[in-house]
Amino acid sequence: MKIGTVVLVIGAAASAVLAQNAPTPSPAPAAPPAAAPGRGRGGFGAPAVRSPEVSPDGKVTFRLRAPNAKEVFVTGVGQRLAMEKNDQGVWTATTDVLKPDIYAYSFSVDGATFNDPGNPRFKTAYGSAGQSEVIVPGPGPVSWAPGKDLPRGAVTRHFYHSAVAGDDRDFWVYTPASYDPKRKEAYPTLYLLHGLGDDSNSWIESGAANVILDNLIAQGKAKPMVMVNPLGYGVAGGPATAMGETMIPSYARTILEEVMPQVEKAYNVSKDRNERAIAGLSMGGAESTFVGLNHLDKFAWIASFSGAYVMWPRATPAGGAAAAAGRGAAPGAPPAAPTPGAPSAAGGRGGAGGGRGGQTVDTATIDKTFPSLDAKANSQIRMLWIVCGADDGLLGVNHSFEEWLKSKNVKFTSLEVPGMAHVWPLWRQNLTDMAPMLFQAKK
């Protein structure tokens, strides 16, 4: 099998994926800063505009040169924000004070949506350019922002043809700053899976997972580990085919038969099940539990963040095929075919369906998903961690799964986070909390 590789070294010279869009804050000027004459982003001979610009108090100023536009808004940072045009044809808007976070946004120009041409940082979605991103740092250190003078790891992109899914795809591999390909002790591996609508690098671009691990490892809070971020669709077609009955079983094969062998051939990683973990958010949570709990010979550490268990292959409902075709349409379920680049149940900021989730997943479906899981598995499971926001539309299905596990006497740890819906701030914190627990010696 031939694979291609692109290496992105995130070290002191490059600072980090996050750092490239987090310049030293300075107060936003009333007018766009001057630029030397020449070919700018706004057109030939026009001075470039600076966008976005983060002020010390957490406000963000956006600018866009569009002299012929009639109406321009910023979307994605709370309420839609109207922009005002000056006599140079530059539209400007400044937010209220924002909480520290990584925000995805777009410009709406006379009804058409565009990314920020002045901003090189963006989050992709499956099959589209996604949205621009801006980092609002906190007053103190946060787990997802690069620590000052801390060593940075590397992120490598691999390409391959999937015989299982029938398409060309990729996966990303993070290696810690201390990574030594010849180290006698092989490194443990975390397989970290994304959500519906997103793609393989979402945990890097939006989740800042590499930066979180950099910080935790440098601080001695987590063991040095290799992280793998695969594409999360088991069949060709991405989100449009994600609710199919074969998607998650096929996805398990892409991990076990294709990605894992490549990683273990190319990197100095352990093949011991006690040195492998699998975790994911939303769709990735449904996949991590499916793969991990059905393959305990491969994984000892399993975690689910806001798991979208409605995506597990369903037992045939009483209503027959028509009812089966309609699954996933209830409030709180991931959409059957989200618009690429649009906020989805996995990638959006609002809750999946909003509010506290009352939806459940039936016992027959869970029985079908885990036909052999019972109390005997407890001796193999080093960690089974299930986390969901209290305001997430998927909370109900998480409760259903937890009750089923109790009925089987399978041990697990669950956490319901107050005030949180289906959002990246929760998932970044989940990773920050989980990583130090991984690969620790038995007590």
Side-chain angles (χ1 to χ4, degrees):
M1 176 181 294
K2 294 183 179 180
I3 62 174
T5 303
V6 176
V7 181
L8 306 178
V9 178
I10 304 178
S15 181
V17 171
L18 289 173
Q20 69 178 351
N21 198 44
T24 302
S26 59
R39 189 186 299 271
R41 288 186 180 271
F44 186 85
V49 295
R50 182 179 178 183
S51 179
E53 187 172 3
V54 182
S55 66
D57 62 358
K59 296 180 180 179
V60 181
T61 297
F62 301 95
R63 299 184 181 92
L64 176 68
R65 185 181 302 280
N68 298 322
K70 305 300 182 185
E71 189 175 55
V72 181
F73 296 90
V74 182
T75 61
V77 283
Q79 296 287 336
R80 190 171 71 154
L81 188 63
M83 303 182 76
E84 295 184 0
K85 184 171 67 171
N86 65 14
D87 57 6
Q88 299 174 32
V90 175
W91 296 78
T92 303
T94 300
T95 67
D96 293 332
V97 175
L98 299 176
K99 294 180 179 180
D101 199 357
I102 303 173
Y103 292 87
Y105 70 95
S106 301
F107 290 137
S108 175
V109 182
D110 294 337
T113 300
F114 298 92
N115 285 342
D116 188 342
N119 183 1
R121 180 182 176 85
F122 61 93
K123 74 174 291 290
T124 59
Y126 186 90
S128 81
Q131 294 175 289
S132 298
E133 285 189 327
V134 60
I135 299 167
V136 179
V142 291
S143 67
W144 42 264
K148 185 178 180 181
D149 299 326
L150 292 183
R152 304 255 66 90
V155 176
T156 306
R157 188 180 188 184
H158 295 263
F159 299 89
Y160 77 102
H161 178 77
S162 171
V164 173
D167 61 10
D168 295 318
R169 53 181 54 204
D170 62 358
F171 61 90
W172 300 71
V173 178
Y174 160 87
T175 50
S178 61
Y179 176 75
D180 179 358
K182 297 182 179 180
R183 193 177 82 164
K184 183 177 180 181
E185 180 186 359
Y187 292 84
T189 311
L190 166 63
Y191 288 80
L192 190 60
L193 316 180
H194 66 79
L196 180 65
D198 286 338
D199 60 15
S200 57
N201 78 333
S202 294
W203 263 111
I204 304 295
E205 291 293 342
S206 297
N210 57 314
V211 177
I212 291 171
L213 292 181
D214 280 340
N215 292 338
L216 292 173
I217 293 169
Q219 295 162 10
K221 295 180 179 179
K223 294 188 70 172
M225 68 185 76
V226 170
M227 176 182 66
V228 182
N229 305 113
L231 186 67
Y233 308 101
V235 293
T241 58
M243 297 302 291
E245 295 293 319
T246 64
M247 196 283 281
I248 289 182
S250 293
Y251 181 70
R253 292 185 57 204
T254 68
I255 295 293
L256 300 171
E257 299 174 17
E258 296 180 332
V259 175
M260 189 181 295
Q262 293 182 61
V263 170
E264 294 182 350
K265 181 179 180 180
Y267 293 89
N268 181 17
V269 294
S270 175
K271 297 181 181 180
D272 184 342
R273 62 175 297 278
N274 290 294
E275 297 290 301
R276 290 198 199 103
I278 188 166
L281 69 88
S282 194
M283 177 182 75
E287 292 170 332
S288 65
T289 47
F290 182 93
V291 176
L293 291 174
N294 283 310
H295 298 279
L296 290 171
D297 59 323
K298 303 293 186 183
F299 298 94
W301 310 81
I302 303 161
S304 169
F305 313 151
S306 311
Y309 307 137
V310 290
M311 299 185 71
W312 286 332
R314 291 259 184 185
T316 303
R327 72 181 180 89
T339 302
S344 71
R349 294 196 166 271
R356 294 181 63 87
Q359 189 180 8
T360 62
V361 57
D362 58 275
T363 300
T365 291
I366 309 178
D367 287 337
K368 175 184 177 182
T369 303
F370 305 106
S372 302
L373 188 62
D374 57 27
K376 295 177 183 178
N378 291 328
S379 63
Q380 296 177 282
I381 298 173
R382 298 289 302 279
M383 181 180 76
L384 175 54
W385 197 45
I386 301 171
V387 187
C388 193
D391 295 331
D392 194 329
L394 292 172
L395 183 63
V397 296
N398 277 259
H399 286 169
S400 297
F401 182 41
E402 292 167 9
E403 291 301 316
W404 184 90
L405 289 170
K406 292 176 183 177
S407 74
K408 298 291 183 177
N409 295 314
V410 176
K411 295 180 180 179
F412 65 95
T413 300
S414 65
L415 179 64
E416 187 175 312
V417 184
M420 281 292 185
H422 215 70
V423 290
W424 271 112
L426 173 62
W427 303 324
R428 294 188 204 105
Q429 189 59 50
N430 292 162
L431 177 60
T432 303
D433 294 338
M434 180 192 71
M437 296 188 284
L438 296 178
F439 315 123
Q440 300 300 322
K442 289 184 178 180
K443 295 182 180 179

